[in-house]
Amino acid sequence: MEHYERHCPPPERRFNCLIPPPSGYKVPIKWPKSRDEVWKANIPHTHLAHEKSDQNWMVVKGEKIIFPGGGTHFHYGADKYIASIANMLNFSNDNINNEGRLRTVLDVGCGVASFGAYLLSSNVITMSLAPNDVHQNQIQFALERGIPAYLGVLGTKRLPYPSRSFELAHCSRCRIDWLQRDGILLLELDRLLRPGGYFAYSSPEAYAQDEEDLRIWKEMSALVERMCWRIAAKRNQTVVWQKPLNNDCYMARAPGTLPPLCHSDDDPDAVYGVQMEACITPYSDHDQKARGSGLAPWPARLTAPSPRLADFGYSSEMFEKDTELWRNRVDSYWNLLSPKIQSNSLRNLMDMKAHLGSFAAALKEKDVWVMNVVPEDGPNTLKLIYDRGLIGSIHNWCEAYSTYPRTYDLLHAWTVFSDIEKRGCSGEDLLLEMDRILRPTGFVIIRDKQSVVDFVKKYLRALNWEAVATTADASSDSDKDGDEVVFIVQKKIWLTSESLRDTE
């Protein structure tokens, strides 16, 4: 699967131009309606509808593409499938969130992300992951619908998420060979699962009786047993394994048992461009003592200091102060945006330098979700963000982000330009990348020094961006950040003369 992984082009092949929307592009349908329908013109790739017509993924109807909520192993709807998994695990009222204890999910090979879409109503947030493979544009459909999603693949490199980030990993007929290379891909899921986390696997190997499926099932069962996973439930076409709560089982294995434990100097949270290894990541001393993650149930965990704060030398007081600071800043942002937006104008948001995730936490009452991006060269605070019940990824803003064009409604760039300037990267390239990611009519909030704002202003006309507001400071902490300026812009809808001709 290495050829599906992200590969950056050489400098001479980088685009130095704006990407026009396709012919007939319309402002996307608003959430929550968008969960079930999008404009066909916005993603004119309908071959998936024909290829997956028997599985209820999506249906073309006139100018729209409709999503009935089906999937490879849940033709009758993701909602019924999700309730059946909760029932298998004896969660109260068949609710998958398990009274707030299950909050973050990784859906591998997610298709058009209907599994993640239907989990949202249970207060569960899913990182839906799929590559640009034979089922092209699945992630673009997911984001157009307003569902959190990321373009990526289980190949040779670690996924850009820290260890112990997800309560549940899921694969429904995701066409992944879990036995390859000594089980390295299952071991990557193991790295990402929290203590006591689950892996729900719906595939023929879990139930079919032909020789090849039985062989795979037998080998996979032996592998997960050596990894100390146990079967939590098995019914119909689905098996759910559970990861142990502590290191006891690992320590009780016979000497020489494979897969081995990872070396003590291996950092399970180092992920950007890091090769996967076929080894088990044991728990830290803290997790071993706690016998679990020690996290409050959702929504309390959003504002409760994470047990992993101590890894960064941060105190609970610092965490609480950061939460309050960003709550005030976000209130100010919304006041500045209010003449331009309605309650349903924004859905997909990105915090380009998320730090502790307090920008996203301040938006809890809004019907939005935030992709929290943590720069790969700073403190790896992404694990604290996941501990808050939020999602995100590691990234280097000197490169393009793993998403399709026109997939976010708002980008928040706090000192991102200043950071890449220090690294000697191109501010023009970053502006082009932000424009690529941003939907027409979407917004950018730049919070940076005055010279950065002046730099961006020079390019507004070329980008077809429009200044919305400028203020010296949108924070209650003006003494400390008195040199920060807030600049808000909006991207206009524009079409090339060629796409206008096509529309007419």
Side-chain angles (χ1 to χ4, degrees):
M1 300 294 280
E2 188 177 12
H3 57 294
Y4 288 133
E5 290 181 329
R6 101 184 240 115
H7 293 87
C8 289
E12 66 273 11
R13 281 195 53 225
R14 286 191 182 182
F15 291 118
N16 187 32
C17 54
L18 302 179
I19 297 175
S23 328
Y25 182 86
K26 301 179 185 184
V27 172
I29 292 167
K30 303 299 184 193
W31 182 267
K33 218 172 157 188
S34 63
R35 186 192 76 172
D36 303 323
E37 57 180 46
V38 301
W39 296 118
K40 184 173 75 173
N42 291 10
I43 314 174
H45 304 287
T46 55
H47 61 280
L48 252 183
H50 306 301
E51 190 182 330
K52 297 290 182 182
S53 58
D54 61 327
Q55 293 168 15
N56 245 357
W57 277 29
M58 51 196 271
V59 181
V60 179
K61 276 193 184 169
E63 289 193 327
K64 291 178 178 173
I65 294 171
I66 311 295
F67 300 90
T72 311
H73 260 75
F74 38 96
H75 307 184
Y76 303 111
D79 48 353
K80 293 183 183 66
Y81 173 72
I82 289 163
S84 74
I85 292 175
N87 179 269
M88 285 167 69
L89 294 169
N90 295 319
F91 291 171
S92 62
N93 302 318
D94 293 347
N95 192 330
I96 196 75
N97 74 24
N98 193 21
E99 299 177 336
R101 289 188 287 272
L102 194 151
R103 164 67 182 169
T104 49
V105 171
L106 176 68
D107 187 17
V108 186
C110 65
V112 293
S114 289
F115 183 70
Y118 282 81
L119 282 169
L120 286 163
S121 58
S122 299
N123 273 325
V124 172
I125 192 161
T126 306
M127 181 65 81
S128 294
L129 182 87
N132 179 15
D133 61 5
V134 291
H135 301 143
Q136 287 181 323
N137 306 91
Q138 356 178 35
I139 291 303
Q140 193 172 12
F141 282 115
L143 288 159
E144 183 73 12
R145 295 171 73 185
I147 304 162
Y150 186 85
L151 191 61
V153 65
L154 276 167
T156 65
K157 294 186 171 67
R158 284 178 172 177
L159 294 176
Y161 319 122
S163 66
R164 308 194 301 284
S165 293
F166 299 99
E167 273 97 25
L168 170 73
H170 172 256
C171 152
S172 168
R173 196 73 179 270
C174 52
R175 299 169 63 183
I176 289 173
D177 176 5
W178 295 108
L179 294 172
Q180 64 174 280
R181 292 175 287 151
D182 305 315
I184 196 165
L185 304 183
L186 269 180
L187 290 158
E188 173 63 357
L189 287 192
D190 184 80
R191 180 185 72 82
L192 295 172
L193 282 175
R194 295 199 191 280
Y198 299 98
F199 175 42
Y201 182 59
S202 297
S203 201
E205 294 82 53
Y207 66 90
Q209 293 302 306
D210 67 81
E211 203 175 313
E212 181 59 10
D213 288 326
L214 284 169
R215 181 192 67 79
I216 294 170
W217 172 251
K218 196 174 167 188
E219 286 187 35
M220 205 162 157
S221 298
L223 171 62
V224 298
E225 192 177 327
R226 294 197 304 275
M227 288 165 57
C228 291
W229 290 8
R230 66 173 191 90
I231 290 182
K234 187 172 187 279
R235 187 191 298 164
N236 300 336
Q237 301 179 350
T238 303
V239 62
V240 183
W241 283 287
Q242 187 174 24
K243 183 180 171 179
L245 283 166
N246 53 49
N247 292 329
D248 293 357
C249 170
Y250 305 143
M251 298 309 159
R253 298 187 315 160
T257 300
L258 297 176
L261 295 182
C262 300
H263 296 299
S264 55
D265 59 353
D266 175 70
D267 178 3
D269 301 321
V271 294
Y272 202 72
V274 175
Q275 297 285 330
M276 287 182 206
E277 281 191 58
C279 59
I280 296 169
T281 308
Y283 297 126
S284 65
D285 291 343
H286 169 271
D287 283 359
Q288 172 68 10
K289 282 196 203 93
R291 298 189 169 264
S293 298
L295 297 177
W298 177 265
R301 73 170 64 169
L302 185 66
T303 48
S306 156
R308 296 199 272 189
L309 270 176
D311 295 359
F312 300 89
Y314 295 154
S315 66
S316 297
E317 292 72 34
M318 288 161 76
F319 172 81
E320 282 153 14
K321 193 176 175 191
D322 187 77
T323 301
E324 183 60 28
L325 172 68
W326 282 103
R327 192 180 291 127
N328 291 327
R329 287 178 173 178
V330 168
D331 284 347
S332 301
Y333 292 159
W334 245 249
N335 288 336
L336 293 169
L337 283 166
S338 59
K340 290 278 189 177
I341 61 170
Q342 295 170 325
S343 60
N344 65 351
S345 296
L346 306 174
R347 173 62 186 166
N348 303 349
L349 277 58
M350 180 186 284
D351 191 1
M352 296 172 69
K353 185 183 174 185
H355 189 44
L356 302 181
S358 296
F359 169 84
L363 292 163
K364 179 182 179 289
E365 299 309 319
K366 310 248 183 242
D367 211 356
V368 302
W369 66 273
V370 180
M371 180 68 81
N372 293 282
V373 181
V374 170
E376 51 92 24
D377 63 334
N380 190 351
T381 52
L382 193 56
K383 58 187 176 183
L384 306 179
I385 289 168
Y386 273 93
D387 285 355
R388 297 184 82 162
L390 303 167
I391 59 167
S393 68
I394 300 283
H395 184 59
N396 170 3
W397 282 114
C398 293
E399 298 175 1
Y401 190 77
S402 285
T403 193
Y404 282 90
R406 302 174 303 280
T407 43
Y408 284 85
D409 298 301
L410 183 145
L411 307 177
H412 176 242
W414 170 48
T415 67
V416 176
F417 283 91
S418 293
D419 290 346
I420 70 154
E421 195 180 272
K422 286 176 199 152
R423 298 183 68 165
C425 300
S426 160
E428 289 93 338
D429 279 355
L430 180 57
L431 283 170
L432 286 168
E433 174 61 1
M434 289 166 77
D435 184 77
R436 182 185 77 85
I437 294 172
L438 199 61
R439 286 171 165 175
T441 73
F443 296 87
V444 180
I445 302 175
I446 293 168
R447 182 187 198 92
D448 217 315
K449 55 193 182 190
Q450 183 65 50
S451 58
V452 165
V453 172
D454 294 341
F455 165 80
V456 174
K457 280 181 175 172
K458 289 191 303 186
Y459 290 92
L460 290 186
R461 195 169 166 201
L463 289 161
N464 292 297
W465 289 5
E466 198 169 55
V468 170
T470 314
T471 177
D473 189 46
S475 124
S476 59
D477 197 9
S478 49
D479 293 342
K480 184 180 166 207
D481 294 314
D483 57 343
E484 283 186 359
V485 179
V486 174
F487 183 45
I488 301 181
V489 296
Q490 184 174 22
K491 178 176 174 174
K492 297 182 201 171
I493 285 196
W494 57 273
L495 294 163
T496 61
S497 52
E498 188 183 326
S499 49
L500 276 170
R501 270 201 311 276
D502 291 348
T503 310
E504 284 158 13

